């Protein structure tokens, strides 16, 4: 099987499992998962190659790819064609994390300026700005409920309501940087998925409790089951045990 050059979420498999979007900060491409042949080249003409890109975010319908960078820029690309739809200055300094809701309507970003910004995917305009009590390094967004998950460098995860930013939940796993967050909806219930210090956790976000921990992996959610990157950067699919087999 194909071995990505960069760990998730800098290498993101699409739902069909045959295509991967990869970036090394100076280029971004959709490639064939088996042959590594380039299928789509993404337009980075508005991006300064000296500014590291944040981890990629993709909506569930796979219409958009979103990222941000060390100079505070926020980017939106058309996923099928690679066209850059928006490139806007979003934060003062490093914009560390970006998220897009499942429907692809709303984007959230956060940076070292301790601001959480909400954006319209269609217009590329900021619609709300929330001042945070501290910085964040990972984000997830649920447009239906109007919630955000916010992860910090020391393992803390917060559940916030939008657009007021009120804290609704507080979770902690490993005392290490939260590398990835995602809302997971199954059987009309909403959960959280996180990766920190090589441990993947499934959370009851309203109950502030961890339901399952798997060690030695990194992950992202593909809308059907969790896709992990193991210690050797090989991919494998693992159905979330709390939901049974898929």
């Amino acid at each position: 099987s194909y071995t990505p050059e960069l760990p998730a979420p800098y290498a993101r498999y699409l739902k069909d499992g045959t295509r991967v979007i990869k970036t090394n900060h100076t280029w971004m491409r959709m490639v064939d998962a088996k042959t590594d042949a380039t299928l789509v080249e993404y337009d980075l003409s508005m991006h300064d190659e000296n500014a590291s890109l944040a981890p990629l975010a993709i909506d569930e319908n796979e219409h958009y790819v979103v990222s941000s960078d060390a100079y505070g820029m926020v980017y939106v690309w058309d996923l099928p064609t690679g066209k850059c739809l928006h490139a806007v200055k979003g934060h003062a300094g490093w914009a560390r994390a970006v998220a897009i809701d499942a429907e692809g309507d709303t984007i959230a970003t956060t940076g070292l300026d301790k601001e959480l910004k909400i954006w319209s995917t269609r217009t590329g305009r900021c619609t709300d700005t929330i001042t945070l009590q501290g910085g964040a390094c990972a984000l997830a967004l649920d447009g239906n409920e109007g919630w955000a998950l916010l992860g910090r460098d020391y393992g803390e995860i917060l559940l916030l309501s939008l657009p007021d930013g009120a804290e609704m939940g507080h979770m902690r796993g490993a005392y290490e940087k939260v590398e990835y967050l995602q809302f997971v909806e199954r059987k009309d219930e909403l959960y959280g998925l996180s990766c920190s210090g090589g441990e993947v956790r499934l959370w009851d976000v309203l109950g502030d409790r961890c339901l399952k921990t798997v060690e030695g992996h990194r992950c992202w959610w593909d809308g059907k089951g969790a896709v992990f990157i193991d210690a050797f950067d090989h991919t494998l699919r693992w159905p979330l045990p709390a939901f049974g087999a898929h």
Side-chain angles (χ1 to χ4, degrees), residues 5-229:
E5 296 176 1
L6 294 168
Y10 291 97
R12 291 293 304 270
Y13 273 75
L14 300 183
K15 286 184 179 180
D16 60 15
T18 67
R19 297 169 297 162
V20 189
I21 297 179
K22 305 192 301 180
T23 178
N24 74 347
H25 307 316
T26 60
W27 53 258
M28 189 165 75
R29 300 175 186 136
M30 182 195 299
V31 301
D32 183 279
K34 291 184 179 180
T35 67
D36 204 28
T38 298
L39 304 174
V40 178
E41 191 84 36
Y42 288 84
D43 178 13
L44 293 184
S45 60
M46 300 294 291
H47 170 250
D48 188 321
E49 65 180 27
N50 294 312
S52 298
L53 286 170
L56 305 176
I58 299 173
D59 65 293
E60 192 168 312
N61 296 316
E62 298 183 343
H63 292 157
Y64 304 103
V65 184
V66 185
S67 189
S68 53
D69 71 17
Y71 292 167
M73 295 291 292
V74 178
Y75 304 93
V76 183
W77 292 273
D78 181 67
L79 187 148
T81 67
K83 178 182 178 181
C84 184
L85 303 176
H86 307 295
V88 295
K89 179 69 173 180
H91 294 270
W94 188 11
R96 297 186 68 190
V98 63
I100 186 169
D101 69 348
E103 293 75 19
D105 297 326
T106 306
I107 295 165
T109 61
T110 186
L112 291 183
D113 55 8
K114 299 181 182 180
E115 289 185 340
L116 173 63
K117 293 194 173 187
I118 309 300
W119 306 79
S120 165
T121 308
R122 183 178 61 84
T123 66
R125 294 179 179 177
C126 180
T127 58
D128 287 291
T129 299
I130 300 167
T131 300
L132 303 172
Q133 295 302 311
C137 53
L139 276 176
L141 190 61
D142 182 80
N144 291 329
E145 298 290 346
W147 293 344
L149 283 174
L150 183 150
R152 292 186 165 153
D153 284 301
Y154 45 87
E156 183 182 47
I157 300 171
L158 302 179
L159 176 66
L160 305 180
S161 65
L162 302 176
D164 59 1
E167 184 176 323
M168 300 174 59
H170 181 277
M171 295 152 277
R172 183 186 292 278
Y175 282 81
E176 296 186 45
K177 175 183 175 181
V178 179
E179 299 172 349
Y180 178 78
L181 287 170
Q182 185 65 51
F183 282 105
V184 176
E185 186 174 357
R186 269 293 179 268
K187 300 178 181 179
D188 298 323
E189 297 289 340
L190 196 62
Y191 301 86
L193 190 67
S194 72
C195 178
S196 181
E199 295 180 343
V200 175
R201 289 180 171 83
L202 182 68
W203 298 92
D204 172 4
V205 293
L206 291 177
D208 295 348
R209 62 193 182 98
C210 180
L211 302 174
K212 179 73 175 181
T213 300
V214 179
E215 298 181 354
H217 294 79
R218 306 180 71 164
C219 73
W220 71 87
W221 171 249
D222 71 351
K224 298 178 181 179
V227 180
F228 292 99
I229 302 295

